[in-house]
Amino acid sequence: MWWSVVLVLNLLIALGTISFTHYAYRWMYPECKNGKLPPGSMGFPLIGETIQYLIPSYSLDTQPFVKKRVARYGKLFKTSLAGKKMVITTDPEISNYIFMEEGKSVNLWYMDSFNTFLGAALINSTTTAYIHKYLKNLVLSQVGNESLKEKLLPKIELMINQALNSWSTQPSVEVKECTATMIIELVLKELLSYDSTKSTHNLVQMLSEFIKGMMNIPLNVPGTTFHRCMKNQKKVLQLMKDILHDRKNSTEKPKGDFLDQLIDDVKKEEFMSEELAAVIMIALVFASFETVSTAFTVAMMFLTDQQAPLVVKELLVEHQAIINNRENADSPLTWQEYKSMTFTPKVINETLRMTNGVPGIVRKANKDVHINGYVIPKGWIIMVVQTAIHMNPEKFKDPLSFNPWRWNDIRSNIVGKSFIPFGGGKRNCVGTEFAKVIMSVFFHVLVTKYSWTKVKGGQAVRWPCLSVKGGFHIKVSQKIE
């Protein structure tokens, strides 16, 4: 009898070993029925190469994970991250092709943790394409060129003046936290007509926790980063619902802002619900502050280093000339003055080129994608790594050097495919001009009215999103007239 039990156990172990070996082999050497897969390694089953990918990199340069594989396999290679079979590209031409294929052979895709954070209503709806078109038009109506020109520009300048004046009264400020707070307050006030000082929540901290949880396995267990992320998501979602309900129940006449439009659309659009409206409000606030506040931090790091005096001097010359050409020096910045800036856009471009706050731009193949003699199978994820494209020495000489003057000679064809800070194709960020206006106005006020010195911090780290270890702290002082 015991021999029979032992025999059965041994048989089960043998079968389990054979099954796992077969599964592991298929995972490590996936089949491609309609062609040849790109070269690369799939790593261990399920885990893939996630551990290697998540090793922190203390540099603004391309992550070592990507650089090593590009050197070994080329600019298109396969891997597996967070349980997903994936192809990564660092080639501008391939990346542009992927962007142009959206809606045909590839679709928008978000990581599972991002889906969970924003909710299935926004990400996985059968009307996703329609929703994204609706959102694009809605956001453009609020922060597009016309709105910026006619309404938002003076309000942005006023808020930046108030923020910098407040910073100058403090012993030091942490750049990302303060700029993020400034942008969030701007978005809440101008688009949702909400005074953030009424809230007991720290929106910057709660939304920043999301960034930390985004690249983690979505395991909602107490003690995990993702669990903290989801706790904050519930608080933020409830806050947005409260703002929505307060406006719906208000007896004041409509304000004509983003929130009013959302409330009207809840009544008119079949796909829209209060839950989805609240999620859209979260997405709007998050998209507004994260990339720009990270860019501000990197910009201030560069404007404070050894090469800073030359850049700051040229910025000051440009912005002081704008003031000197006015009849009234204290007049607010006009749209014509903003559009007349020539050096400031180069500083912004160089900052965005070197920042690349997110690990990459992702899409999902909805059919086999044939490219450069390889096949990306249906269902696989495709990641375009902006950092590697922006740090390509063939396109940008001495790429780790902060050099705004390089933009004097960069051709438009390089900008179109090798400079993609706001994405590409149909998904080019609708808030691009909004972000550039905020940065331009910030530099205008900063260099003409203030001086600053570094207090502490300044170590860039990619894990895998860009952050600054310990933050970057500066002391801001008003210039003496």
Side-chain angles (χ1 to χ4, degrees), residues 252-306:
E252 297 179 7
K253 66 179 184 178
K255 302 178 185 296
D257 58 7
F258 186 90
L259 183 54
D260 275 345
Q261 186 63 56
L262 278 178
I263 292 171
D264 287 343
D265 290 341
V266 168
K267 302 172 185 176
K268 295 187 299 185
E269 298 283 355
E270 290 185 9
F271 71 86
M272 183 65 80
S273 64
E274 288 192 6
E275 182 84 12
L276 178 56
V279 169
I280 289 172
M281 291 161 67
I282 295 177
L284 175 72
V285 174
F286 176 77
S288 300
F289 91 90
E290 177 56 33
T291 300
V292 180
S293 60
T294 300
F296 269 128
T297 308
V298 173
M300 293 309 297
M301 288 170 60
F302 284 122
L303 294 180
T304 314
D305 72 8
Q306 295 177 352

Short mmCIF file of all heavy atoms in Angstrom, two decimals, residues 252-306:
data_model
loop_
_atom_site.label_atom_id
_atom_site.label_comp_id
_atom_site.label_asym_id
_atom_site.label_seq_id
_atom_site.Cartn_x
_atom_site.Cartn_y
_atom_site.Cartn_z
N GLU A 252 -25.83 78.42 -7.47
CA GLU A 252 -25.18 79.46 -8.26
C GLU A 252 -25.34 79.19 -9.75
O GLU A 252 -25.53 78.04 -10.17
CB GLU A 252 -23.68 79.52 -7.92
CG GLU A 252 -23.39 79.90 -6.48
CD GLU A 252 -21.89 79.92 -6.20
OE1 GLU A 252 -21.11 79.77 -7.17
OE2 GLU A 252 -21.51 80.07 -5.03
N LYS A 253 -25.25 80.23 -10.55
CA LYS A 253 -25.39 80.04 -11.98
C LYS A 253 -24.15 79.33 -12.53
O LYS A 253 -23.06 79.43 -11.95
CB LYS A 253 -25.62 81.36 -12.70
CG LYS A 253 -24.47 82.34 -12.66
CD LYS A 253 -24.86 83.61 -13.44
CE LYS A 253 -23.69 84.58 -13.51
NZ LYS A 253 -24.04 85.79 -14.30
N PRO A 254 -24.27 78.60 -13.65
CA PRO A 254 -23.15 77.85 -14.21
C PRO A 254 -21.92 78.72 -14.45
O PRO A 254 -22.03 79.89 -14.81
CB PRO A 254 -23.72 77.32 -15.53
CG PRO A 254 -25.19 77.27 -15.32
CD PRO A 254 -25.51 78.44 -14.43
N LYS A 255 -20.74 78.11 -14.25
CA LYS A 255 -19.48 78.84 -14.41
C LYS A 255 -18.89 78.65 -15.81
O LYS A 255 -17.94 79.33 -16.20
CB LYS A 255 -18.47 78.38 -13.36
CG LYS A 255 -18.96 78.57 -11.91
CD LYS A 255 -17.94 78.04 -10.93
CE LYS A 255 -18.47 78.13 -9.49
NZ LYS A 255 -18.71 79.52 -9.07
N GLY A 256 -19.42 77.68 -16.56
CA GLY A 256 -18.93 77.44 -17.91
C GLY A 256 -17.56 76.80 -17.96
O GLY A 256 -16.85 76.91 -18.97
N ASP A 257 -17.16 76.10 -16.90
CA ASP A 257 -15.83 75.49 -16.87
C ASP A 257 -15.89 74.01 -17.22
O ASP A 257 -16.92 73.48 -17.64
CB ASP A 257 -15.18 75.69 -15.49
CG ASP A 257 -16.03 75.11 -14.35
OD1 ASP A 257 -17.04 74.43 -14.64
OD2 ASP A 257 -15.70 75.34 -13.18
N PHE A 258 -14.75 73.34 -17.06
CA PHE A 258 -14.62 71.92 -17.37
C PHE A 258 -15.65 71.09 -16.59
O PHE A 258 -16.26 70.17 -17.13
CB PHE A 258 -13.19 71.47 -17.03
CG PHE A 258 -12.85 70.06 -17.42
CD1 PHE A 258 -12.30 69.79 -18.67
CD2 PHE A 258 -13.03 69.01 -16.54
CE1 PHE A 258 -11.96 68.50 -19.02
CE2 PHE A 258 -12.70 67.72 -16.88
CZ PHE A 258 -12.16 67.46 -18.13
N LEU A 259 -15.82 71.42 -15.32
CA LEU A 259 -16.73 70.66 -14.47
C LEU A 259 -18.18 70.81 -14.93
O LEU A 259 -18.94 69.84 -14.96
CB LEU A 259 -16.58 71.11 -13.01
CG LEU A 259 -17.41 70.36 -11.97
CD1 LEU A 259 -17.17 68.86 -12.05
CD2 LEU A 259 -17.09 70.88 -10.57
N ASP A 260 -18.59 72.01 -15.28
CA ASP A 260 -19.94 72.22 -15.80
C ASP A 260 -20.18 71.38 -17.05
O ASP A 260 -21.26 70.80 -17.23
CB ASP A 260 -20.17 73.70 -16.13
CG ASP A 260 -20.62 74.50 -14.91
OD1 ASP A 260 -21.02 73.87 -13.92
OD2 ASP A 260 -20.55 75.74 -14.96
N GLN A 261 -19.17 71.32 -17.92
CA GLN A 261 -19.31 70.53 -19.14
C GLN A 261 -19.47 69.05 -18.82
O GLN A 261 -20.29 68.35 -19.42
CB GLN A 261 -18.09 70.74 -20.04
CG GLN A 261 -18.19 70.08 -21.40
CD GLN A 261 -19.31 70.62 -22.25
OE1 GLN A 261 -19.38 71.82 -22.49
NE2 GLN A 261 -20.21 69.76 -22.68
N LEU A 262 -18.70 68.57 -17.86
CA LEU A 262 -18.82 67.17 -17.45
C LEU A 262 -20.23 66.87 -16.92
O LEU A 262 -20.83 65.84 -17.26
CB LEU A 262 -17.79 66.83 -16.37
CG LEU A 262 -16.36 66.50 -16.81
CD1 LEU A 262 -15.50 66.23 -15.59
CD2 LEU A 262 -16.33 65.29 -17.74
N ILE A 263 -20.75 67.76 -16.08
CA ILE A 263 -22.08 67.55 -15.50
C ILE A 263 -23.15 67.54 -16.59
O ILE A 263 -24.07 66.71 -16.58
CB ILE A 263 -22.38 68.64 -14.45
CG1 ILE A 263 -21.46 68.46 -13.23
CG2 ILE A 263 -23.84 68.61 -14.02
CD1 ILE A 263 -21.52 69.59 -12.23
N ASP A 264 -23.03 68.45 -17.56
CA ASP A 264 -23.97 68.45 -18.69
C ASP A 264 -23.89 67.15 -19.47
O ASP A 264 -24.92 66.59 -19.89
CB ASP A 264 -23.68 69.63 -19.62
CG ASP A 264 -24.10 70.96 -19.02
OD1 ASP A 264 -24.88 70.95 -18.05
OD2 ASP A 264 -23.64 72.01 -19.51
N ASP A 265 -22.67 66.65 -19.65
CA ASP A 265 -22.49 65.44 -20.46
C ASP A 265 -22.95 64.18 -19.74
O ASP A 265 -23.29 63.19 -20.38
CB ASP A 265 -21.02 65.31 -20.88
CG ASP A 265 -20.63 66.38 -21.90
OD1 ASP A 265 -21.54 66.95 -22.52
OD2 ASP A 265 -19.42 66.63 -22.06
N VAL A 266 -22.95 64.22 -18.40
CA VAL A 266 -23.52 63.08 -17.65
C VAL A 266 -25.00 62.92 -18.01
O VAL A 266 -25.52 61.81 -18.09
CB VAL A 266 -23.34 63.29 -16.13
CG1 VAL A 266 -24.17 62.28 -15.34
CG2 VAL A 266 -21.87 63.17 -15.74
N LYS A 267 -25.66 64.04 -18.24
CA LYS A 267 -27.08 64.02 -18.59
C LYS A 267 -27.30 63.63 -20.06
O LYS A 267 -28.27 62.95 -20.38
CB LYS A 267 -27.71 65.39 -18.34
CG LYS A 267 -27.60 65.89 -16.91
CD LYS A 267 -28.07 67.33 -16.81
CE LYS A 267 -27.87 67.89 -15.41
NZ LYS A 267 -28.23 69.33 -15.32
N LYS A 268 -26.37 64.05 -20.95
CA LYS A 268 -26.61 63.90 -22.38
C LYS A 268 -25.98 62.65 -23.00
O LYS A 268 -26.55 62.03 -23.89
CB LYS A 268 -26.08 65.13 -23.12
CG LYS A 268 -26.82 66.43 -22.79
CD LYS A 268 -26.37 67.57 -23.67
CE LYS A 268 -24.89 67.88 -23.50
NZ LYS A 268 -24.47 69.08 -24.26
N GLU A 269 -24.77 62.28 -22.53
CA GLU A 269 -24.02 61.19 -23.17
C GLU A 269 -24.33 59.85 -22.51
O GLU A 269 -24.26 59.73 -21.29
CB GLU A 269 -22.51 61.47 -23.08
CG GLU A 269 -22.05 62.74 -23.78
CD GLU A 269 -21.99 62.56 -25.29
OE1 GLU A 269 -22.20 61.43 -25.78
OE2 GLU A 269 -21.71 63.55 -25.99
N GLU A 270 -24.65 58.86 -23.33
CA GLU A 270 -24.99 57.54 -22.80
C GLU A 270 -23.84 56.90 -22.05
O GLU A 270 -24.03 56.19 -21.06
CB GLU A 270 -25.46 56.62 -23.94
CG GLU A 270 -26.80 57.01 -24.54
CD GLU A 270 -27.27 55.99 -25.56
OE1 GLU A 270 -26.63 54.93 -25.67
OE2 GLU A 270 -28.26 56.26 -26.26
N PHE A 271 -22.61 57.09 -22.56
CA PHE A 271 -21.46 56.43 -21.94
C PHE A 271 -21.04 57.08 -20.63
O PHE A 271 -20.32 56.48 -19.83
CB PHE A 271 -20.26 56.44 -22.91
CG PHE A 271 -19.64 57.80 -23.09
CD1 PHE A 271 -18.68 58.26 -22.20
CD2 PHE A 271 -20.02 58.60 -24.14
CE1 PHE A 271 -18.11 59.52 -22.37
CE2 PHE A 271 -19.45 59.86 -24.31
CZ PHE A 271 -18.49 60.31 -23.42
N MET A 272 -21.48 58.30 -20.38
CA MET A 272 -21.00 59.06 -19.24
C MET A 272 -21.81 58.77 -17.98
O MET A 272 -23.03 58.67 -18.01
CB MET A 272 -21.05 60.56 -19.54
CG MET A 272 -20.49 61.45 -18.44
SD MET A 272 -18.72 61.22 -18.17
CE MET A 272 -18.10 62.22 -19.53
N SER A 273 -21.09 58.61 -16.88
CA SER A 273 -21.71 58.42 -15.56
C SER A 273 -20.97 59.31 -14.57
O SER A 273 -19.90 59.85 -14.89
CB SER A 273 -21.60 56.96 -15.12
OG SER A 273 -20.23 56.60 -14.96
N GLU A 274 -21.51 59.46 -13.38
CA GLU A 274 -20.82 60.27 -12.37
C GLU A 274 -19.49 59.63 -11.98
O GLU A 274 -18.51 60.33 -11.72
CB GLU A 274 -21.71 60.44 -11.13
CG GLU A 274 -22.90 61.36 -11.35
CD GLU A 274 -23.60 61.74 -10.06
OE1 GLU A 274 -23.09 61.37 -8.98
OE2 GLU A 274 -24.65 62.40 -10.12
N GLU A 275 -19.46 58.30 -11.95
CA GLU A 275 -18.22 57.59 -11.63
C GLU A 275 -17.16 57.91 -12.67
O GLU A 275 -16.00 58.22 -12.34
CB GLU A 275 -18.47 56.08 -11.59
CG GLU A 275 -17.26 55.24 -11.23
CD GLU A 275 -17.04 55.14 -9.73
OE1 GLU A 275 -17.93 55.52 -8.96
OE2 GLU A 275 -15.95 54.67 -9.34
N LEU A 276 -17.54 57.83 -13.96
CA LEU A 276 -16.59 58.11 -15.03
C LEU A 276 -16.18 59.57 -15.01
O LEU A 276 -15.01 59.90 -15.24
CB LEU A 276 -17.22 57.75 -16.39
CG LEU A 276 -16.36 58.03 -17.62
CD1 LEU A 276 -15.01 57.33 -17.52
CD2 LEU A 276 -17.09 57.58 -18.89
N ALA A 277 -17.12 60.47 -14.73
CA ALA A 277 -16.79 61.90 -14.65
C ALA A 277 -15.75 62.16 -13.57
O ALA A 277 -14.80 62.93 -13.77
CB ALA A 277 -18.06 62.71 -14.38
N ALA A 278 -15.88 61.50 -12.42
CA ALA A 278 -14.92 61.65 -11.32
C ALA A 278 -13.56 61.11 -11.72
O ALA A 278 -12.52 61.70 -11.40
CB ALA A 278 -15.44 60.95 -10.07
N VAL A 279 -13.55 59.97 -12.43
CA VAL A 279 -12.29 59.39 -12.90
C VAL A 279 -11.61 60.33 -13.90
O VAL A 279 -10.39 60.51 -13.87
CB VAL A 279 -12.55 58.01 -13.55
CG1 VAL A 279 -11.31 57.51 -14.28
CG2 VAL A 279 -12.96 57.00 -12.48
N ILE A 280 -12.39 60.94 -14.78
CA ILE A 280 -11.85 61.89 -15.75
C ILE A 280 -11.23 63.08 -15.02
O ILE A 280 -10.17 63.59 -15.42
CB ILE A 280 -12.95 62.35 -16.72
CG1 ILE A 280 -13.33 61.21 -17.67
CG2 ILE A 280 -12.50 63.57 -17.52
CD1 ILE A 280 -14.53 61.51 -18.54
N MET A 281 -11.85 63.52 -13.95
CA MET A 281 -11.31 64.63 -13.16
C MET A 281 -9.95 64.25 -12.56
O MET A 281 -9.01 65.06 -12.56
CB MET A 281 -12.30 65.02 -12.06
CG MET A 281 -13.57 65.68 -12.61
SD MET A 281 -14.96 65.65 -11.42
CE MET A 281 -14.34 66.74 -10.13
N ILE A 282 -9.84 63.02 -12.07
CA ILE A 282 -8.56 62.54 -11.53
C ILE A 282 -7.51 62.54 -12.64
O ILE A 282 -6.37 63.01 -12.46
CB ILE A 282 -8.68 61.13 -10.94
CG1 ILE A 282 -9.60 61.13 -9.72
CG2 ILE A 282 -7.30 60.59 -10.55
CD1 ILE A 282 -9.83 59.75 -9.13
N ALA A 283 -7.87 61.97 -13.79
CA ALA A 283 -6.93 61.87 -14.91
C ALA A 283 -6.46 63.25 -15.34
O ALA A 283 -5.28 63.45 -15.66
CB ALA A 283 -7.60 61.14 -16.08
N LEU A 284 -7.37 64.23 -15.35
CA LEU A 284 -7.02 65.60 -15.75
C LEU A 284 -5.99 66.19 -14.79
O LEU A 284 -4.98 66.75 -15.22
CB LEU A 284 -8.28 66.46 -15.77
CG LEU A 284 -8.06 67.95 -16.05
CD1 LEU A 284 -7.68 68.17 -17.51
CD2 LEU A 284 -9.29 68.76 -15.70
N VAL A 285 -6.25 66.07 -13.49
CA VAL A 285 -5.34 66.64 -12.50
C VAL A 285 -3.99 65.93 -12.56
O VAL A 285 -2.93 66.58 -12.56
CB VAL A 285 -5.94 66.52 -11.08
CG1 VAL A 285 -4.93 66.98 -10.03
CG2 VAL A 285 -7.22 67.34 -10.98
N PHE A 286 -4.01 64.60 -12.64
CA PHE A 286 -2.76 63.84 -12.65
C PHE A 286 -1.93 64.17 -13.88
O PHE A 286 -0.72 64.41 -13.79
CB PHE A 286 -3.06 62.35 -12.61
CG PHE A 286 -1.82 61.51 -12.73
CD1 PHE A 286 -0.97 61.35 -11.65
CD2 PHE A 286 -1.49 60.89 -13.93
CE1 PHE A 286 0.18 60.61 -11.76
CE2 PHE A 286 -0.34 60.14 -14.04
CZ PHE A 286 0.50 59.99 -12.95
N ALA A 287 -2.56 64.18 -15.05
CA ALA A 287 -1.84 64.44 -16.30
C ALA A 287 -1.26 65.84 -16.32
O ALA A 287 -0.23 66.10 -16.96
CB ALA A 287 -2.78 64.24 -17.49
N SER A 288 -1.91 66.77 -15.61
CA SER A 288 -1.46 68.16 -15.63
C SER A 288 -0.17 68.36 -14.86
O SER A 288 0.69 69.14 -15.27
CB SER A 288 -2.55 69.07 -15.02
OG SER A 288 -3.74 68.98 -15.76
N PHE A 289 -0.02 67.69 -13.72
CA PHE A 289 1.08 68.06 -12.84
C PHE A 289 2.31 67.16 -12.92
O PHE A 289 3.43 67.65 -12.75
CB PHE A 289 0.59 68.12 -11.39
CG PHE A 289 0.73 66.84 -10.62
CD1 PHE A 289 1.88 66.55 -9.90
CD2 PHE A 289 -0.30 65.90 -10.61
CE1 PHE A 289 2.00 65.37 -9.19
CE2 PHE A 289 -0.18 64.72 -9.91
CZ PHE A 289 0.98 64.45 -9.19
N GLU A 290 2.16 65.88 -13.18
CA GLU A 290 3.28 64.96 -13.00
C GLU A 290 4.44 65.24 -13.94
O GLU A 290 5.58 65.45 -13.52
CB GLU A 290 2.80 63.51 -13.14
CG GLU A 290 3.91 62.48 -13.03
CD GLU A 290 4.71 62.58 -11.74
OE1 GLU A 290 4.13 62.95 -10.70
OE2 GLU A 290 5.92 62.30 -11.78
N THR A 291 4.18 65.25 -15.24
CA THR A 291 5.26 65.46 -16.21
C THR A 291 5.88 66.84 -16.06
O THR A 291 7.11 67.00 -16.08
CB THR A 291 4.73 65.29 -17.65
OG1 THR A 291 4.20 63.96 -17.79
CG2 THR A 291 5.83 65.49 -18.66
N VAL A 292 5.03 67.87 -15.90
CA VAL A 292 5.54 69.24 -15.84
C VAL A 292 6.34 69.48 -14.57
O VAL A 292 7.40 70.13 -14.60
CB VAL A 292 4.38 70.25 -15.96
CG1 VAL A 292 4.92 71.68 -15.90
CG2 VAL A 292 3.63 70.04 -17.26
N SER A 293 5.88 68.97 -13.44
CA SER A 293 6.62 69.19 -12.19
C SER A 293 7.97 68.48 -12.21
O SER A 293 8.96 68.99 -11.67
CB SER A 293 5.79 68.75 -10.98
OG SER A 293 5.48 67.37 -11.05
N THR A 294 8.02 67.31 -12.83
CA THR A 294 9.30 66.61 -12.98
C THR A 294 10.23 67.41 -13.89
O THR A 294 11.43 67.56 -13.61
CB THR A 294 9.10 65.20 -13.58
OG1 THR A 294 8.25 64.44 -12.71
CG2 THR A 294 10.42 64.47 -13.73
N ALA A 295 9.69 67.95 -14.99
CA ALA A 295 10.48 68.77 -15.91
C ALA A 295 11.00 70.02 -15.21
O ALA A 295 12.16 70.43 -15.41
CB ALA A 295 9.66 69.14 -17.13
N PHE A 296 10.17 70.65 -14.38
CA PHE A 296 10.61 71.83 -13.63
C PHE A 296 11.80 71.47 -12.74
O PHE A 296 12.77 72.24 -12.64
CB PHE A 296 9.48 72.34 -12.74
CG PHE A 296 8.61 73.38 -13.39
CD1 PHE A 296 7.23 73.25 -13.41
CD2 PHE A 296 9.17 74.51 -13.97
CE1 PHE A 296 6.43 74.20 -14.01
CE2 PHE A 296 8.37 75.48 -14.57
CZ PHE A 296 7.00 75.32 -14.59
N THR A 297 11.73 70.32 -12.08
CA THR A 297 12.79 69.91 -11.17
C THR A 297 14.11 69.75 -11.92
O THR A 297 15.16 70.23 -11.49
CB THR A 297 12.42 68.60 -10.46
OG1 THR A 297 11.13 68.73 -9.86
CG2 THR A 297 13.45 68.25 -9.39
N VAL A 298 14.05 69.04 -13.06
CA VAL A 298 15.26 68.84 -13.86
C VAL A 298 15.78 70.18 -14.38
O VAL A 298 16.99 70.45 -14.37
CB VAL A 298 14.97 67.87 -15.03
CG1 VAL A 298 16.17 67.79 -15.98
CG2 VAL A 298 14.64 66.48 -14.50
N ALA A 299 14.87 71.04 -14.84
CA ALA A 299 15.28 72.36 -15.35
C ALA A 299 16.02 73.15 -14.27
O ALA A 299 17.08 73.74 -14.53
CB ALA A 299 14.06 73.14 -15.83
N MET A 300 15.48 73.17 -13.05
CA MET A 300 16.11 73.92 -11.98
C MET A 300 17.45 73.31 -11.58
O MET A 300 18.37 74.05 -11.18
CB MET A 300 15.18 74.01 -10.77
CG MET A 300 13.92 74.84 -11.01
SD MET A 300 14.25 76.49 -11.70
CE MET A 300 15.21 77.23 -10.37
N MET A 301 17.58 71.99 -11.70
CA MET A 301 18.88 71.36 -11.45
C MET A 301 19.90 71.88 -12.44
O MET A 301 21.03 72.24 -12.07
CB MET A 301 18.75 69.84 -11.56
CG MET A 301 18.02 69.18 -10.41
SD MET A 301 17.63 67.43 -10.74
CE MET A 301 19.27 66.74 -10.97
N PHE A 302 19.52 71.96 -13.71
CA PHE A 302 20.44 72.42 -14.74
C PHE A 302 20.70 73.93 -14.64
O PHE A 302 21.81 74.39 -14.92
CB PHE A 302 19.92 72.07 -16.13
CG PHE A 302 20.09 70.62 -16.49
CD1 PHE A 302 19.01 69.85 -16.82
CD2 PHE A 302 21.35 70.04 -16.49
CE1 PHE A 302 19.16 68.50 -17.14
CE2 PHE A 302 21.53 68.70 -16.80
CZ PHE A 302 20.43 67.93 -17.14
N LEU A 303 19.69 74.69 -14.25
CA LEU A 303 19.86 76.14 -14.14
C LEU A 303 20.61 76.54 -12.87
O LEU A 303 20.78 77.73 -12.59
CB LEU A 303 18.50 76.83 -14.18
CG LEU A 303 17.72 76.72 -15.49
CD1 LEU A 303 16.38 77.44 -15.38
CD2 LEU A 303 18.53 77.27 -16.65
N THR A 304 21.04 75.55 -12.12
CA THR A 304 21.77 75.82 -10.88
C THR A 304 23.18 75.22 -10.92
O THR A 304 23.95 75.41 -9.99
CB THR A 304 21.00 75.24 -9.67
OG1 THR A 304 19.62 75.60 -9.78
CG2 THR A 304 21.49 75.79 -8.34
N ASP A 305 23.50 74.49 -12.01
CA ASP A 305 24.82 73.85 -12.06
C ASP A 305 25.87 74.79 -12.65
O ASP A 305 25.64 75.98 -12.84
CB ASP A 305 24.75 72.51 -12.81
CG ASP A 305 24.56 72.70 -14.31
OD1 ASP A 305 24.63 73.84 -14.80
OD2 ASP A 305 24.34 71.68 -15.00
N GLN A 306 27.05 74.26 -12.98
CA GLN A 306 28.18 75.09 -13.40
C GLN A 306 27.93 75.83 -14.71
O GLN A 306 28.47 76.91 -14.95
CB GLN A 306 29.43 74.20 -13.53
CG GLN A 306 29.89 73.60 -12.21
CD GLN A 306 31.09 72.69 -12.38
OE1 GLN A 306 31.51 72.37 -13.49
NE2 GLN A 306 31.67 72.25 -11.26
#
